[in-house]
Amino acid sequence: QVQLIESGGGLVQTGGSLRLSCAASGGTFTSHVMGWFRQGPGKEREFVAAISRSGGTTNYSDSVQGRFTISRDNAKNTVYLQLTSLKPEDTAVYYCAAAQGILIRSTRFQYDYWGQGTQVTISS
């Protein structure tokens, strides 16, 4: 059983930056593809980014491509999401997720474990 704990959310102005962290425990971190999802007010949970087990391959949604960067530190069992050039529409609860397997994936139902989420609010 993998436990995931997100941190780093907060309130920032449009154009600002944040770095989210997700600490994993209870499993073999390097056996899991990691992903970030978000859920805005009144919206479905949507894919943001994913990273392979080694960190060598990443995938992003079109809405964040070029602004967000996903990375992982396998020595620290932690995955990060660097958010830059933030917009009000990025306001959401951001969730970290883990999936056993090799291929990175962008569908929420393909992930096995989820964190509780961290709130990101962008003021205009």
Side-chain angles (χ1 to χ4, degrees), residues 4-123:
L4 303 171
I5 300 176
E6 303 97 334
S7 61
L11 172 65
V12 298
Q13 293 185 331
T14 296
S17 300
L18 280 174
R19 189 175 83 154
L20 307 183
S21 299
C22 172
S25 63
T28 303
F29 186 64
T30 52
S31 295
H32 294 80
V33 167
M34 300 299 296
W36 286 95
F37 289 74
R38 68 184 181 185
Q39 188 165 12
K43 297 182 180 180
E44 297 275 327
R45 190 170 301 189
E46 66 174 357
F47 170 74
V48 174
I51 189 165
S52 63
R53 299 184 303 180
S54 68
T57 302
T58 57
N59 187 29
Y60 298 92
S61 68
D62 290 343
S63 61
V64 308
Q65 178 77 48
R67 299 189 299 120
F68 293 5
T69 303
I70 189 171
S71 61
R72 65 190 293 165
D73 186 336
N74 287 341
K76 295 182 178 180
N77 289 359
T78 301
V79 61
Y80 304 98
L81 186 68
Q82 180 71 45
L83 292 67
T84 63
S85 302
L86 284 161
K87 307 173 182 180
E89 52 264 42
D90 294 317
T91 294
V93 177
Y94 284 71
Y95 297 90
C96 173
Q100 289 186 306
I102 297 173
L103 298 177
I104 60 173
R105 56 211 67 188
S106 59
T107 303
R108 56 185 283 196
F109 303 107
Q110 295 174 306
Y111 283 81
D112 304 301
Y113 305 102
W114 292 85
Q116 293 299 307
T118 185
Q119 176 70 48
V120 172
T121 304
I122 313 305
S123 63

